[in-house]
Amino acid sequence: MPVPVIVDCDPGHDDVFALWLAAGHPSLDLLAVTTVGGNVPLEHTSRNARIALTIAAVAGVPVAAGAAGPIARKLETAESIHGENGLGGPDLPEPAEPLDDRSATDLIAQTVLGSPEPVAIIATGPITNIAIALRDRPELLGRIREIVWMGGSTERGNWTPYAEFNAWVDPEALALVVGSGIRFTMVGLNVTHQALVTGAVRERLAAIGNATARFGDELLEFFCRTNEEVFGMPDGPLHDPVAVAVLADPGCLELTHTRLDIELAGTETVGATSVDLGGVLRREPNAWVAAGLDVERFWTGLADAVARLA
Ligand code: BDR
Ligand code: CA
């Protein structure tokens, strides 16, 4: 039985590949998509998520807009990486389907409560929508199978020296979700920086030759260029689909059960994810944290998923 999933995202180049992996992998059943302001403002992420599904000819998956910004801070965006519209590079088509008229919270609640199997949530942006849904709909607490989130790091950050972008944008939401008691897995930069879009990876994906792969190649060209300009990484790290791989192909990642705390009040360290790998704090483990990635297996899973799409 495929795992039923909701993807909550802020597309964003790598979010698009996360959606494609979730839609194209036979181990997952993509039930719904929700969007959040993150890489770019909410109007763009909501349109871009629908464009990602349109390109891949994925029909019948509702896309609902959620929070325009974090629960307690002003939204900071990442146009330097993703471009003004969030999907710099290709010409963007009109989305085939309209935005769902429900809020992200309502779509999440109705999807989770209406499913005979426990639904997992994969979040690939600031985790604001999930925090709001758990805060406003406590009946969801016992009903969500697990939450897997791309963000944070066991090491240093990418948006500040200590904070990864998704964690830095909405650390209060992250602390709320981690503290909810729902199984939580963090897929951070320490593993996503291994999922590098090398020339060989680009050739392999482009060789699939379908419309999804062609659009994806244009996205990757832009994404690798901006990652080189901003981070000095010409082989851009394709962060978000790595979180999807945790559920699509669990053998692809090594997870460790440990203590995760979120820095909310530091002067230079807000959004840092404090991962107590050595157990020195003697606190109860409260999260699973990705510690290793089978890189070849990851790209094979992603390429196979893209090949299954239009
Ligand atoms: C994360 O930040 C965003 O720019 C990407 O989409 C990814 O979710 C990486 O730090
Ligand atoms: Ca993202």
Side-chain angles (χ1 to χ4, degrees):
M1 275 282 283
V3 178
V5 296
I6 298 170
V7 173
D8 180 69
C9 57
D10 64 337
H13 296 67
D14 51 336
D15 302 79
V16 168
F17 284 86
L19 287 168
W20 290 343
L21 181 56
H25 200 288
S27 299
L28 301 180
D29 181 11
L30 178 62
L31 299 182
V33 174
T34 52
T35 56
V36 65
N39 283 322
V40 284
L42 183 66
E43 311 81 76
H44 284 305
T45 60
S46 302
R47 186 163 187 274
N48 293 347
R50 290 179 291 137
I51 289 172
L53 300 180
T54 299
I55 292 289
V58 176
V61 175
V63 178
I71 53 178
R73 294 173 192 264
K74 192 173 147 292
L75 176 65
E76 303 278 352
T77 50
E79 282 86 356
S80 60
I81 298 295
H82 299 279
E84 287 301 313
N85 66 6
L87 290 185
D91 289 335
L92 302 182
E94 280 304 310
E97 298 196 29
L99 197 59
D100 197 280
D101 58 12
R102 288 169 283 185
S103 67
T105 296
D106 284 348
L107 179 57
I108 290 169
Q110 288 170 17
T111 305
V112 167
L113 300 175
S115 170
E117 294 295 322
V119 175
I121 296 176
I122 302 167
T124 62
I127 201 160
T128 318
N129 285 341
I130 313 309
I132 291 171
L134 298 180
R135 182 194 67 192
D136 294 352
R137 302 292 295 264
E139 68 271 29
L140 292 174
L141 284 174
R143 299 294 300 275
I144 295 171
R145 171 189 158 129
E146 63 181 293
I147 297 167
V148 181
W149 170 70
M150 187 281 130
S153 181
T154 62
E155 297 160 4
R156 301 285 287 259
N158 61 358
W159 217 253
T160 74
Y162 283 92
E164 178 280 333
F165 178 77
N166 291 336
W168 182 74
V169 171
D170 201 347
E172 283 77 15
L174 180 58
L176 197 151
V177 174
V178 172
S180 71
I182 298 171
R183 180 185 161 112
F184 184 84
T185 301
M186 178 183 110
V187 180
L189 301 176
N190 54 298
V191 287
T192 68
H193 276 185
Q194 296 170 46
L196 296 174
V197 182
T198 61
V201 164
R202 269 191 71 186
E203 278 172 28
R204 180 176 179 181
L205 293 173
I208 295 166
N210 60 13
T212 304
R214 283 197 298 278
F215 187 86
D217 192 54
E218 292 185 55
L219 287 178
L220 293 178
E221 185 176 339
F222 184 96
F223 186 67
C224 288
R225 193 170 62 241
T226 55
N227 269 276
E228 178 167 27
E229 285 163 9
V230 175
F231 299 123
M233 298 177 80
D235 301 335
L238 204 63
H239 310 278
D240 291 339
V242 183
V244 181
V246 169
L247 293 169
D249 182 13
C252 202
L253 282 109
E254 184 197 328
L255 304 181
T256 181
H257 198 211
T258 184
R259 182 75 197 186
L260 168 62
D261 292 289
I262 318 303
E263 177 62 276
L264 301 177
T267 51
E268 299 294 333
T269 53
V270 166
T273 44
S274 167
V275 182
D276 188 12
L277 291 174
V280 295
L281 297 173
R282 309 238 175 272
R283 295 181 189 153
E284 274 297 300
N286 62 346
W288 293 85
V289 170
L293 175 69
D294 184 332
V295 175
E296 174 57 26
R297 187 163 161 172
F298 166 71
W299 289 120
T300 298
L302 184 61
D304 288 351
V306 168
R308 271 188 218 101
L309 298 168

